[in-house]
Every structure is written in structure tokens, then in C-alpha cells.
Amino acid sequence: MTTVNQNRQFQSATSVESDVWDLPVRLVHWLLVLCLVTLFVSVNIGWMSLHFYAGYALSALLVFRLLWALVGTTYARFSGFDLSLRRVVPTLRDLVAGRHQSPAGHNAAGSWMVLLLLLVLAVQVVSGLVYSDDVFWYGPWFFAAPEWAQALAARLHPRLPALILALAGTHIVAVLYHRLRLKEPLIGAMVHGRKPLAGADRSAISRVWLVLSLLVTAVWSLWLVSLPI
């Protein structure tokens, strides 16, 4: 009887939705998806101009997301991530056992996955700026880069997409697992920003920091576009 009452109390508490993911985080998330699809498709059909500009757009999203991770709302910030390495394995163990209770933001495993994805995407973008196929296309930083950087980009840029696909696939499987096994509507939360948690509302968006972050991102984007390819 106690267990039944506890379950009812938990369901009652989590039936109240709280605002967790702000609009900038949600927009960046889905625009990253769009950029990645465009990048993979464009390089495979030989539309290299589109590939370059999709890469520029991806870099702009990463610049904004990094800034927003410092000055954004509660769960957008790195300070809101659970970055305790010692909690990663217990978190995964609880997920597999189906007894995981969702935190407001990312759990330990999710936090490290987000950081790893952002890091790999950033390395891919930077390597693309220095990469050349030695025939037709040269990244805007190619001729200014030292030879060791050109050689490193030549090794990384064609190989990292496999890792990006693996990480993205793991992310999709994890989201589906949360939905089907744990009954957590994570996809919906990244659309409307709400999660079924009581008392976990994020802080308000600072318009000043939002405008400054967008301004820095715009300056970065305009500078990249002005470079020859």
C-alpha cells in the first residue's frame, strides 16, 4: 500500500509541468540538426558551396551555444549540467534498470554527451576551415594555417563525420529509450520547453545577454562569409 501511495504521490508531483528549456536552446538544437543533415547531404551530392555555408551556419550556432552556456538560463548553462564523473555509471545503471528519475536538466550521462557532441562538432568546424581537397576547394583559413595544421585538418575532417553520426545515433537511441521505457517525453520537451516536473522553472532570459550573444554570433558569421573560399 505504501508503494502504491508513493507512486501516486510521485505521479501527482510530476504531472505539473515546469519550464526548463528556453527558446534559444530549443532553436539551436533543431537548427543544429538541420545544419548536420545539410552538411552530410551536400558533401555527398557535391554541392560544396552549400556545404561551406552550412558549415558557417553550424559554427555560428556553436558560438552562440557556447556563449549561452555561460550567460543563459538555469539549465542552458554549463553550471546547470551534472558533470560529476562518479555519477555517470550509476546514472547509466539506473537507466538500464528503468528506475531513473529525470532531473530538471541533463543527468550526468546526458551532460557529458552534450559536451562531447559540442566538442566534436567544434573540432569538425575548425578543421573544415583549414581543410582542402587539394583540387578545387580550400577552407578560408587554409593558406594562413601552418603545414602541421593543414595536415591535421586533412586527417580529422574526413574522419570525424563517422564519430558525429555515432554520437548522434546514440543520442537518438537514448531519447527513444527515455520515451518508450521511462515514459519521459524528451522530444516534446525540446519542442515546447516544458518537462513534467514540479518546481523546476528556469530563470528568466536576460535580454541584455541575449542581444550581446546574438551580436557576437552575427559578427563572427559576417566575418566568415566575407572570407574567400
Side-chain angles (χ1 to χ4, degrees):
M1 182 66 69
T2 302
T3 302
V4 173
N5 290 335
Q6 288 176 343
N7 288 339
R8 287 176 178 173
Q9 291 173 1
F10 176 75
Q11 291 172 0
S12 176
T14 56
S15 64
V16 180
E17 289 189 332
S18 295
D19 289 323
V20 174
W21 306 119
D22 59 45
L23 181 60
V25 166
R26 293 172 356 239
L27 284 176
V28 168
H29 177 273
W30 294 113
L31 289 174
L32 280 174
V33 173
L34 178 61
C35 281
L36 286 174
V37 171
T38 303
L39 284 163
F40 279 107
V41 172
S42 61
V43 76
N44 279 288
I45 64 178
W47 290 8
M48 295 307 298
S49 293
L50 177 60
H51 187 77
F52 269 91
Y53 290 114
Y56 291 171
L58 178 62
S59 74
L61 292 171
L62 292 175
V63 167
F64 177 84
R65 187 62 184 91
L66 175 60
L67 293 172
W68 202 239
L70 301 176
V71 301
T73 58
T74 308
Y75 304 107
R77 297 182 183 183
F78 288 147
S79 60
F81 285 21
D82 184 353
L83 298 177
S84 173
L85 285 172
R86 67 180 58 185
R87 280 201 288 270
V88 172
V89 173
T91 297
L92 292 174
R93 188 183 301 122
D94 287 343
L95 285 171
V96 172
R99 59 174 179 265
H100 174 69
Q101 292 186 7
S102 175
H106 294 293
N107 59 34
S111 296
W112 282 104
M113 171 61 80
V114 171
L115 286 182
L116 183 57
L117 263 170
L118 292 177
L119 176 61
V120 173
L121 288 175
V123 172
Q124 180 69 355
V125 164
V126 173
S127 66
L129 296 173
V130 183
Y131 179 73
S132 169
D133 64 357
D134 292 326
V135 182
F136 298 110
W137 297 99
Y138 296 88
W141 293 357
F142 178 80
F143 294 105
E147 289 186 6
W148 66 264
Q150 295 174 358
L152 183 61
R155 291 181 61 86
L156 289 176
H157 198 69
R159 292 174 172 82
L160 282 181
L163 177 58
I164 293 171
L165 283 175
L167 292 173
T170 302
H171 173 65
I172 293 171
V173 169
V175 168
L176 292 176
Y177 180 83
H178 274 262
R179 183 66 186 92
L180 300 175
R181 176 79 164 87
L182 305 176
K183 308 304 179 184
E184 294 181 36
L186 295 185
I187 298 176
M190 196 48 69
V191 173
H192 49 62
R194 299 184 301 275
K195 292 183 72 174
L197 295 165
D201 290 316
R202 62 178 183 261
S203 58
I205 293 177
S206 168
R207 294 184 180 180
V208 173
W209 284 120
L210 177 59
V211 170
L212 288 175
S213 299
L214 290 172
L215 181 61
V216 172
T217 303
V219 171
W220 166 261
S221 303
L222 291 173
W223 178 67
L224 272 184
V225 172
S226 69
L227 298 176
I229 56 176

